[in-house]
Amino acid sequence: MAQEAHSPTEVLAGLVERVTFHSPESSFCVLRVNARGHRDLVTVIGHAAMISPGEWITASGLWLNDRTHSLQFKARFLKTSAPSTIEASRSISAPA
């Protein structure tokens, strides 16, 4: 069972490095994101009709500390867009 941290809604933005899970039926997704202001990849959970590595996301939501999955950002709103820089565009085609 997840517990929500006692913090106000935050905004998180970054580049999707990996789509760990995506359900086409419910649009629920689990993403690993290289987020601004964070040293390590961040796990983001939310809903997106379609999502791919290399896309830029902007999300608003709360941090959760899940007993099984550790710290996650639970997005209540998730917006995707194509990368806006050449460096980000190159990361899409770079082998992992």
Side-chain angles (χ1 to χ4, degrees):
M1 179 176 262
Q3 292 185 358
E4 292 191 20
H6 298 293
S7 62
T9 299
E10 291 186 39
V11 175
L12 186 81
L15 192 69
V16 177
E17 293 289 329
R18 182 176 64 221
V19 177
T20 303
F21 175 79
H22 182 258
S23 169
E25 293 81 26
S26 68
S27 75
F28 177 76
C29 58
V30 178
L31 312 172
R32 295 290 286 160
V33 177
N34 186 355
R36 284 186 187 160
H38 294 268
R39 185 176 183 178
D40 298 321
L41 292 179
V42 172
T43 299
V44 176
I45 59 172
H47 292 84
M50 294 179 65
I51 189 83
S52 300
E55 288 185 294
W56 184 263
I57 64 161
T58 303
S60 61
L62 299 171
W63 289 100
L64 300 176
N65 195 2
D66 184 272
R67 289 183 190 185
T68 305
H69 303 291
S70 288
L71 190 62
Q72 303 176 335
F73 188 81
K74 181 180 181 181
R76 292 185 176 160
F77 171 79
L78 186 65
K79 178 184 174 189
T80 63
S81 58
S84 59
T85 64
I86 293 172
E87 292 80 18
S89 297
R90 286 184 186 150
S91 72
I92 296 171
S93 58

